[in-house]
Amino acid sequence: SFPPIWFIIFPLLEEYKRVTSADCAKKWNVSQRRVAIYCKERRIEGAIMMGRMWMIPKEAKKPEDPRKAKKNI
């Protein structure tokens, strides 16, 4: 039998200093789906897909939300 997935993923998290999309969603006060969209659109530098999970560098900055475009008045 194979070891639980966390025995494989956890060392990668520590080694590369990455967090899950759920962790970023809490930190940035957005939904986990919004973080996944940012990752899919390659708007978060260094984000990688591991299986079905996005892994994001801890130092990553929150991208601008294109839905809240600044208007020049």
Side-chain angles (χ1 to χ4, degrees):
S1 87
F2 294 103
I5 191 74
W6 283 109
F7 284 112
I8 298 167
I9 293 177
F10 190 72
L12 294 174
L13 294 177
E14 288 301 309
E15 182 179 341
Y16 296 111
K17 304 293 186 216
R18 295 186 183 275
V19 294
T20 63
S21 57
D23 295 331
C24 280
K26 287 178 189 173
K27 183 169 105 176
W28 295 340
N29 197 28
V30 295
S31 69
Q32 190 172 348
R33 176 70 182 136
R34 176 59 39 197
V35 174
I37 290 169
Y38 290 153
C39 293
K40 187 175 180 181
E41 293 175 347
R42 301 188 184 279
R43 296 181 57 213
I44 300 175
E45 191 172 334
I48 58 170
M49 181 75 119
M50 290 185 67
R52 292 176 42 196
M53 214 173 13
W54 282 103
M55 304 307 295
I56 302 164
K58 282 185 179 178
E59 306 84 28
K61 303 276 189 247
K62 179 182 175 185
E64 285 281 325
D65 192 339
R67 299 171 303 161
K68 298 178 181 176
K70 294 178 182 176
K71 296 179 182 177
N72 292 334
I73 299 176

